[in-house]
Amino acid sequence: MSERRHTDPLPLGTDEHPYSKGLMSRALMRSGVPVDRAYELARRIEQDLAARGERTADMDRIQELAADVLGEGDGGLAVGRLRRLQELDKLDLPIIVLIGGATGTGKSTVAAEVAYRLGITRVTSTDFVRQTMRAFFTPDFLPAIHYSSFDAGRALPSAQEEEVDPLLHGFLEQTRHVLIGVQAAIERSLEEGWSMILEGVHLVPGLLPRAVEGALVVECVVSIENEEAHANHFWIRDAASEGVRPLDKYLERLGDIRYIQDYIVERAQLEGVPVVQNSEREKAVGAVMELVLAAADRFQKVSA
């Protein structure tokens, strides 16, 4: 038995619990409808129920109203996702979402929003795993984990630096260590029946086992093709965190960060892992949600 994800049932209304436009707005936002349009459609449903003297909304009628308010295409997509989210909420299986990608591509923002829409309360990062490991392993014993992902080459012996690509080799050395902790986190999640979202640069396709029994596992990589847009993400993150992370350091090493991104994207393409472009947050979140819903659809068809 998996731990129930914290989602509300679709608020269509019953004799005991009348329709709520507030709850319907939230449900529509889960399906990717913008806040203002979600409230507009939820209010329209309320008005329609009042006009017809009904207390319970019907999905077919909601689809008609959605087409009127949102347009045929967007309305059909929104209601289709509502139906699929209903089915997903019935899934008695932990959901593990793995979101990889280079530093500064917006992984944590996407992960947080996807977690909200799926009702998953456990979200963690591979940087958190690495930080925890640093408390137990000294720089002398495990030097690679004591550097940033794009700086881990500094942990290599000087003789080795001349034989390999230090940037990439250092990153992979760090990744292999961190993935030990990541694997333990996934195993613990499965033991407890938890759903969780893991995000981080160390989730390199092909290095982490994708075949995990007893869970619906969805893996993807978040990427930013445009270098200027990538740099802007660091400015946005700096403003949001009030300068907690050293902005100049990331901008100075942007070339190295994007070099690692190229490697991760190439690995994703080789391993058949979807690459989600994060040029717009809502589109990126929608793409990851679609991957989860599609995986659930496939699982339910196989299980039927």
Side-chain angles (χ1 to χ4, degrees), residues 12 19 21 40-66 68-69:
L12 299 176
Y19 169 82
K21 66 174 176 288
E40 182 182 355
L41 176 54
R43 184 174 58 184
R44 180 69 177 276
I45 296 169
E46 181 183 56
Q47 293 169 345
D48 183 71
L49 287 172
R52 294 188 293 116
E54 299 286 346
R55 295 174 64 86
T56 303
D58 175 81
M59 287 298 290
D60 291 336
R61 179 58 179 162
I62 289 176
Q63 184 149 354
E64 293 175 8
L65 296 172
D68 189 40
V69 174

Side-chain angles (χ1 to χ4, degrees), residues 111-181:
E113 182 61 24
V114 170
Y116 165 73
R117 295 188 186 185
L118 293 176
I120 295 176
T121 58
R122 290 172 173 81
V123 184
T124 192
S125 70
T126 61
D127 271 345
F128 181 82
V129 173
R130 180 171 66 91
Q131 185 66 26
T132 303
M133 294 176 71
R134 288 171 65 174
F136 291 93
F137 300 106
T138 66
D140 290 337
F141 182 76
L142 215 59
I145 65 172
H146 289 267
Y147 293 92
S148 297
S149 59
F150 51 85
D151 224 10
R154 293 172 57 189
L156 298 175
S158 55
Q160 194 174 10
E161 286 185 16
E162 299 175 1
E163 300 173 359
V164 298
D165 177 344
L167 174 61
L168 188 56
H169 193 84
F171 166 65
L172 290 175
E173 180 74 7
Q174 181 184 99
T175 294
R176 292 187 185 97
H177 293 311
V178 172
L179 287 183
I180 295 172

Side-chain angles (χ1 to χ4, degrees), residues 7-21:
T7 57
D8 296 315
L10 195 58
L12 299 176
T14 64
D15 289 337
E16 295 181 359
H17 302 286
Y19 169 82
S20 165
K21 66 174 176 288

